[in-house]
Amino acid sequence: MKNNIFSAIIGGAFLAILICGFIANLIIPDKTFSAEENRILQQSPKFSISHYIDGRYENKVEKYHNDQFLFRNTFIHVKSAADTAMGKVEANGVYLGKDGYLLEDISTPSGDWMSSTTESIIKFKQKYPSIKMNFMLVPNAANILSDKLPDSVVLADQNKYIDKFNSRIKNDGIKIIDVRKTFKNKKDKVQLYYRTDHHWTSDGAYIAFKKAAKILDLDISNESFTPYVVKRDFRGTLSSKSGFRNGLDDNITIYLPSRDDYLPSIIHYSDTKKKTTEFFEMDNLDTKDAYTVFGGSNHPLYTIQTPTVSQEKLLIVKDSYANSFIPFISQYYRKVVVVDPRYFFDDINTIIKSEEITQVLFLYNANTFFKDNSLEMMLS
């Protein structure tokens, strides 16, 4: 009898928790952005017959419930702690690697994605034959630092997908800026990626800039920067996403010009209407996502004007990897227009014409690029 009463109490309490959680999920407004994971969260999808038939609606509903679940971050941390105690080396697509590295799984693009995205880029170039276009698709840490993965883990071959993508667009007048060989040669000498975050470090971005300068015909012979460590206890998105606390704290370094003739830039953010001469938001070093020290956040559109001799005007189409790269390249263009297709919903053709763009640089990391269709949507 007592056992039955105890079971009923436990069952009732569990049911009450489920009901309260369900009600709370209905009442509490949906979150649009996860600072823990530095990504946009799935919102409640709109029903349509076509999306239901091809399965997209069900996938979005499932992702919506996963993203908006009450106390989601707490459950991730608890689960990760339990997994680590049992010797597991993967949590939420993040692997517990060697030397304090957390390594994100490799994204694999579908055949449909590859076809539609490359076609949109090729058509875009055909529309503007006189505009020089370059594409830098940056490999991720699990590619370059594959030796840091757990011994039992074998991930998808990212190089195969990068090679396939590059080969499809390079024959249509788009130059490829490929940093893979350079990164492989530097990986044991320089920390190219953060240990706990999915971004490259400022050192990685600077090495990529020097590689890009050769392809873009920029004279950087007089270039001079001094690196400064501005944060020593950075824990990034991969630590938050996985819940792993085994990764080592990272340093965040910024590069400041040490040339006397360095030209100041004026940066204008269209979304916030803010104008500044500073590329770095130092106050953001004390926030959860300290990587936003580079530019503040992912803005849909902003412009950088520099009083250079050059009259070239560059459009950068990018993801967040470009944020730590942009301060290096600003000195070489009269105007740089930066667009993030994930947040930009206006007409890119209007921007090209009104800003009199003469060059375009696409800059993405492969993982973000291969699972995102915002570029295709913007170009189409």
Side-chain angles (χ1 to χ4, degrees):
M1 182 69 176
K2 290 183 178 180
N3 287 338
N4 291 339
I5 294 174
F6 180 75
S7 297
I9 293 173
I10 295 296
F14 182 71
L15 181 62
I17 291 172
L18 289 178
I19 293 173
C20 290
F22 176 75
I23 294 173
N25 276 319
L26 292 177
I27 296 174
I28 297 175
D30 291 342
K31 296 180 179 180
T32 58
F33 185 80
S34 170
E36 291 266 341
E37 300 174 51
N38 191 31
R39 69 178 180 88
I40 297 173
L41 299 175
Q42 176 66 51
Q43 302 302 293
S44 180
K46 294 181 180 180
F47 179 82
S48 72
I49 296 296
S50 61
H51 286 182
Y52 179 78
I53 292 174
D54 63 19
R56 280 184 287 176
Y57 178 74
E58 293 92 327
N59 290 335
K60 287 185 177 181
V61 168
E62 181 180 0
K63 189 176 180 182
Y64 167 71
H65 287 300
N66 288 337
D67 281 0
Q68 301 296 341
F69 188 75
L70 192 65
F71 303 128
R72 180 175 181 272
N73 292 332
T74 301
F75 279 108
I76 288 175
H77 295 157
V78 171
K79 181 180 182 300
S80 175
D83 288 346
T84 303
M86 292 187 292
K88 292 187 178 181
V89 295
E90 184 274 336
N92 207 18
V94 178
Y95 292 90
L96 184 58
K98 302 169 187 175
D99 300 328
Y101 276 92
L102 302 179
L103 300 156
E104 190 174 30
D105 198 2
I106 296 296
S107 299
T108 57
S110 67
D112 289 342
W113 180 96
M114 187 70 75
S115 297
S116 59
T117 300
T118 54
E119 183 180 356
S120 67
I121 295 170
I122 291 168
K123 287 183 176 179
F124 182 66
K125 172 55 182 171
Q126 291 172 345
K127 188 174 183 177
Y128 299 103
S130 63
I131 295 179
K132 297 178 182 179
M133 296 191 185
N134 302 271
F135 208 113
M136 184 192 296
L137 190 54
V138 183
N140 293 94
N143 178 343
I144 300 299
L145 305 179
S146 57
D147 57 313
K148 304 295 184 185
L149 286 165
D151 293 332
S152 60
V153 174
V154 178
L155 301 183
D157 184 3
Q158 189 179 71
N159 289 321
K160 178 178 69 174
Y161 300 109
I162 293 177
D163 288 339
K164 185 176 182 180
F165 173 80
N166 287 345
S167 67
R168 288 195 177 188
I169 66 170
K170 70 179 181 180
N171 294 326
D172 290 272
I174 300 173
K175 287 187 177 181
I176 302 300
I177 303 173
D178 193 342
V179 301
R180 286 177 292 174
K181 184 177 179 180
T182 304
F183 272 26
K184 282 288 188 181
N185 292 336
K186 295 282 189 180
K187 71 183 183 71
D188 295 325
K189 304 172 185 176
V190 179
Q191 186 182 340
L192 300 169
Y193 301 90
Y194 294 109
R195 293 184 179 89
T196 65
D197 193 81
H198 70 286
H199 292 101
W200 57 8
T201 62
S202 295
D203 294 333
Y206 186 50
I207 290 171
F209 161 69
K210 290 192 286 187
K211 173 71 175 181
K214 296 178 181 179
I215 308 298
L216 298 172
D217 295 324
L218 304 179
D219 181 7
I220 62 170
S221 56
N222 294 324
E223 196 60 84
S224 179
F225 286 94
T226 302
Y228 295 91
V229 176
V230 292
K231 188 175 179 66
R232 298 185 182 275
D233 58 350
F234 175 48
R235 280 189 171 269
T237 56
L238 297 184
S239 180
S240 299
K241 181 180 179 181
S242 66
F244 286 134
R245 293 294 179 263
N246 306 59
L248 300 177
D249 285 352
D250 278 305
N251 290 342
I252 291 182
T253 300
I254 63 173
Y255 278 67
L256 297 180
S258 47
R259 281 169 38 193
D260 292 334
D261 60 343
Y262 184 84
L263 300 169
S265 301
I266 298 177
I267 309 161
H268 180 214
Y269 298 104
S270 62
D271 54 342
T272 62
K273 310 302 180 185
K274 178 181 177 181
K275 283 189 177 181
T276 180
T277 58
E278 302 294 334
F279 283 101
F280 307 106
E281 295 281 352
M282 303 303 289
D283 289 344
N284 286 12
L285 290 170
D286 297 323
T287 65
K288 175 63 181 175
D289 185 11
Y291 182 78
T292 57
V293 66
F294 303 105
S297 65
N298 289 311
H299 302 276
L301 169 71
Y302 65 95
T303 59
I304 305 165
Q305 291 181 278
T306 310
T308 62
V309 174
S310 170
Q311 296 298 313
E312 297 288 336
K313 296 178 181 178
L314 175 68
L315 169 65
I316 297 180
V317 181
K318 59 89 176 182
D319 66 12
S320 56
Y321 261 52
N323 295 356
S324 54
F325 174 95
I326 288 170
F328 298 123
I329 205 169
S330 64
Q331 285 289 288
Y332 299 92
Y333 294 90
R334 175 57 60 98
K335 178 178 282 190
V336 178
V337 181
V338 183
V339 170
D340 190 327
R342 295 171 297 174
Y343 312 98
F344 179 80
F345 303 109
D346 293 325
D347 187 355
I348 192 63
N349 300 292
T350 301
I351 298 296
I352 289 174
K353 293 173 183 176
S354 63
E355 300 290 356
E356 299 178 328
I357 297 299
T358 60
Q359 295 185 31
V360 177
L361 171 63
F362 297 91
L363 199 167
Y364 281 85
N365 81 86
N367 261 0
T368 296
F369 188 61
F370 286 148
K371 62 185 178 184
D372 181 58
N373 64 355
S374 60
L375 176 62
E376 177 202 346
M377 293 173 63
M378 184 187 78
L379 297 183
S380 300

PDB file of all heavy atoms in Angstrom, residues 8 175 192 214 240 316 318 349 358:
ATOM      1  N   ALA A   8       2.540   6.683  -6.653  1.00  0.00           N
ATOM      2  CA  ALA A   8       1.569   7.666  -7.125  1.00  0.00           C
ATOM      3  C   ALA A   8       2.078   9.085  -6.924  1.00  0.00           C
ATOM      4  O   ALA A   8       1.890   9.962  -7.776  1.00  0.00           O
ATOM      5  CB  ALA A   8       0.248   7.470  -6.397  1.00  0.00           C
ATOM      6  N   LYS A 175      38.047  34.064 -58.656  1.00  0.00           N
ATOM      7  CA  LYS A 175      39.321  33.570 -58.138  1.00  0.00           C
ATOM      8  C   LYS A 175      39.133  32.946 -56.758  1.00  0.00           C
ATOM      9  O   LYS A 175      38.363  33.437 -55.933  1.00  0.00           O
ATOM     10  CB  LYS A 175      40.342  34.701 -58.054  1.00  0.00           C
ATOM     11  CG  LYS A 175      40.877  35.163 -59.402  1.00  0.00           C
ATOM     12  CD  LYS A 175      42.004  36.179 -59.211  1.00  0.00           C
ATOM     13  CE  LYS A 175      42.596  36.598 -60.553  1.00  0.00           C
ATOM     14  NZ  LYS A 175      43.707  37.570 -60.369  1.00  0.00           N
ATOM     15  N   LEU A 192      45.881  28.773 -34.715  1.00  0.00           N
ATOM     16  CA  LEU A 192      45.021  29.291 -35.773  1.00  0.00           C
ATOM     17  C   LEU A 192      43.560  29.385 -35.350  1.00  0.00           C
ATOM     18  O   LEU A 192      42.811  30.212 -35.885  1.00  0.00           O
ATOM     19  CB  LEU A 192      45.127  28.389 -37.006  1.00  0.00           C
ATOM     20  CG  LEU A 192      46.520  28.241 -37.618  1.00  0.00           C
ATOM     21  CD1 LEU A 192      46.531  27.135 -38.656  1.00  0.00           C
ATOM     22  CD2 LEU A 192      46.971  29.559 -38.240  1.00  0.00           C
ATOM     23  N   LYS A 214      47.964  38.515 -51.770  1.00  0.00           N
ATOM     24  CA  LYS A 214      48.641  38.089 -53.001  1.00  0.00           C
ATOM     25  C   LYS A 214      47.641  37.917 -54.141  1.00  0.00           C
ATOM     26  O   LYS A 214      47.894  38.324 -55.268  1.00  0.00           O
ATOM     27  CB  LYS A 214      49.390  36.782 -52.753  1.00  0.00           C
ATOM     28  CG  LYS A 214      50.517  36.894 -51.736  1.00  0.00           C
ATOM     29  CD  LYS A 214      51.190  35.544 -51.507  1.00  0.00           C
ATOM     30  CE  LYS A 214      52.296  35.651 -50.467  1.00  0.00           C
ATOM     31  NZ  LYS A 214      52.932  34.334 -50.217  1.00  0.00           N
ATOM     32  N   SER A 240      30.047  26.302 -24.688  1.00  0.00           N
ATOM     33  CA  SER A 240      28.641  26.479 -24.319  1.00  0.00           C
ATOM     34  C   SER A 240      27.746  25.449 -25.000  1.00  0.00           C
ATOM     35  O   SER A 240      26.846  24.879 -24.395  1.00  0.00           O
ATOM     36  CB  SER A 240      28.176  27.889 -24.696  1.00  0.00           C
ATOM     37  OG  SER A 240      28.918  28.861 -24.020  1.00  0.00           O
ATOM     38  N   ILE A 316      32.257  42.978 -49.261  1.00  0.00           N
ATOM     39  CA  ILE A 316      32.558  41.728 -48.566  1.00  0.00           C
ATOM     40  C   ILE A 316      31.241  41.064 -48.188  1.00  0.00           C
ATOM     41  O   ILE A 316      30.425  41.636 -47.460  1.00  0.00           O
ATOM     42  CB  ILE A 316      33.412  41.961 -47.308  1.00  0.00           C
ATOM     43  CG1 ILE A 316      34.777  42.543 -47.689  1.00  0.00           C
ATOM     44  CG2 ILE A 316      33.591  40.655 -46.537  1.00  0.00           C
ATOM     45  CD1 ILE A 316      35.695  42.803 -46.503  1.00  0.00           C
ATOM     46  N   LYS A 318      29.799  37.854 -46.234  1.00  0.00           N
ATOM     47  CA  LYS A 318      30.549  37.099 -45.232  1.00  0.00           C
ATOM     48  C   LYS A 318      29.691  36.473 -44.142  1.00  0.00           C
ATOM     49  O   LYS A 318      28.487  36.734 -44.001  1.00  0.00           O
ATOM     50  CB  LYS A 318      31.550  38.044 -44.591  1.00  0.00           C
ATOM     51  CG  LYS A 318      30.932  39.290 -43.904  1.00  0.00           C
ATOM     52  CD  LYS A 318      30.579  39.020 -42.468  1.00  0.00           C
ATOM     53  CE  LYS A 318      30.065  40.168 -41.663  1.00  0.00           C
ATOM     54  NZ  LYS A 318      29.789  39.814 -40.259  1.00  0.00           N
ATOM     55  N   ASN A 349      21.693  44.037 -55.433  1.00  0.00           N
ATOM     56  CA  ASN A 349      21.988  44.730 -56.691  1.00  0.00           C
ATOM     57  C   ASN A 349      21.936  46.250 -56.521  1.00  0.00           C
ATOM     58  O   ASN A 349      22.713  46.984 -57.133  1.00  0.00           O
ATOM     59  CB  ASN A 349      20.995  44.297 -57.773  1.00  0.00           C
ATOM     60  CG  ASN A 349      21.073  42.804 -58.039  1.00  0.00           C
ATOM     61  OD1 ASN A 349      22.056  42.305 -58.560  1.00  0.00           O
ATOM     62  ND2 ASN A 349      20.030  42.080 -57.652  1.00  0.00           N
ATOM     63  N   THR A 358      33.512  47.770 -57.139  1.00  0.00           N
ATOM     64  CA  THR A 358      34.440  47.337 -58.191  1.00  0.00           C
ATOM     65  C   THR A 358      35.007  45.934 -57.931  1.00  0.00           C
ATOM     66  O   THR A 358      35.532  45.305 -58.844  1.00  0.00           O
ATOM     67  CB  THR A 358      35.613  48.315 -58.313  1.00  0.00           C
ATOM     68  OG1 THR A 358      36.321  48.378 -57.059  1.00  0.00           O
ATOM     69  CG2 THR A 358      35.115  49.703 -58.694  1.00  0.00           C
TER      70      THR A 358
END
